Amino acid sequence: MTAIAAAGRGMSELAGLLADDTRAAFCLALLDGRAWTAGELARHAGVAPSTATEHLTRLVRGGLLAEERQGRHRYLRLAGPSVAQLIEDLAGHAPAPPRPAGSLRVAAAGTALAYARTCYDHLAGRLGVTLLDGLLRQGLLDRAGGLAVTPAGWDRLAALGVPTEPLRGTRRPLVRDCLDWTERRPHLAGALGAALCRHLRDLGWIASGTGRAVRLTPAGAEALPALLGVTPADLAPPPREETGGGRA
């Protein structure tokens, strides 16, 4: 078998791992960066535990998931940032998902994810895309020779209190575009994307919502517009949907 044929076979096997609704749902759920139990993933995908076990074993053997056992529990997580990148990129190229149907709670959850969420360890959704656009607009990132941090960007990161030495020596790509599956435009990934997400949490500018959703705090709504060169309205979350006097 030639090298090209072998590579083609490997691609086919990888595509086969994700060519199943249940396995794809598991991988998308794990984009929150946490380790899930097999039971949690089974409930999330609406399948029997025995079915989940079969699918999870295939994903582990295929190198997409890593597992660890603690007592009776089996925990699964994405095998690393490169796998998270693959899953998010595939989601970004998939047809746009339909507007959530059903209860207001389901619709609100979909709206919250579209506004801001974690993509493994960095920010995604409208807030994540606005973050990348703002860093470019402020001259803190530049695309002249490929996406890169500018000298002014390094200075601003240090002024914000972001630890820069680990970023300068990281083996992981420092900055990378990640196609956002709801916005259909890139948000910021790579080591800097992860560091900024952590730092914004530490500053109290963003906080965890439900699941992968992230919410902008009042402190973040006040501070981020100046950093990104946008107006507060640009960062405003979508209004809550209401029914005529009913309970949400």
Side-chain angles (χ1 to χ4, degrees):
M1 181 181 294
T2 67
I4 292 178
R9 180 174 180 176
M11 288 180 60
S12 176
E13 292 175 351
L14 177 61
L17 282 174
L18 294 171
D20 177 272
D21 290 352
T22 298
R23 292 195 292 272
F26 289 165
C27 291
L28 285 170
L30 291 167
L31 276 176
D32 68 358
R34 297 184 299 120
W36 291 46
T37 66
E40 289 170 336
L41 288 167
R43 290 189 292 274
H44 173 78
V47 297
S50 58
T51 301
T53 297
E54 178 183 347
H55 286 303
L56 290 170
T57 298
R58 289 191 61 181
L59 290 168
V60 170
R61 288 176 178 170
L64 294 181
L65 301 188
E67 69 174 340
E68 55 187 82
R69 294 183 180 272
Q70 293 185 8
R72 296 179 302 162
H73 293 293
R74 180 192 192 195
Y75 289 90
L76 290 306
R77 63 172 71 247
L78 294 180
S82 62
V83 175
Q85 174 186 342
L86 171 66
I87 301 303
E88 185 77 4
D89 285 348
L90 286 174
H93 286 88
R99 179 179 173 82
S103 70
L104 268 181
R105 181 171 296 179
V106 172
T111 299
L113 282 175
Y115 172 69
R117 63 185 182 277
T118 51
C119 172
Y120 192 59
D121 58 4
H122 54 271
L123 277 176
R126 181 160 66 87
L127 185 59
V129 169
T130 303
L131 175 67
L132 175 56
D133 288 347
L135 294 175
L136 288 165
R137 185 183 307 110
Q138 296 287 86
L140 309 183
L141 297 180
D142 186 75
R143 291 192 182 278
L147 189 62
V149 182
T150 65
W154 286 115
D155 291 343
R156 184 71 67 86
L157 290 171
L160 279 173
V162 178
T164 56
E165 286 306 311
L167 292 175
R168 293 179 185 274
T170 182
R171 294 183 179 180
R172 182 179 178 183
L174 177 60
V175 286
R176 180 180 64 78
D177 285 326
C178 185
L179 181 62
D180 197 279
W181 64 267
T182 52
E183 292 293 304
R184 304 290 157 152
R185 297 172 54 220
H187 58 247
L188 180 65
L192 178 56
L196 281 174
C197 185
R198 287 193 303 270
H199 195 62
L200 294 181
R201 286 186 189 276
D202 291 343
L203 290 172
W205 294 1
I206 60 173
S208 297
T210 302
R212 290 173 59 195
V214 171
R215 60 183 178 83
L216 185 66
T217 67
E222 180 177 349
L224 272 177
L227 172 66
L228 302 180
V230 299
T231 68
D234 293 324
L235 295 180
R240 293 176 60 90
E241 297 188 37
E242 298 180 354
T243 57
R247 295 175 60 186

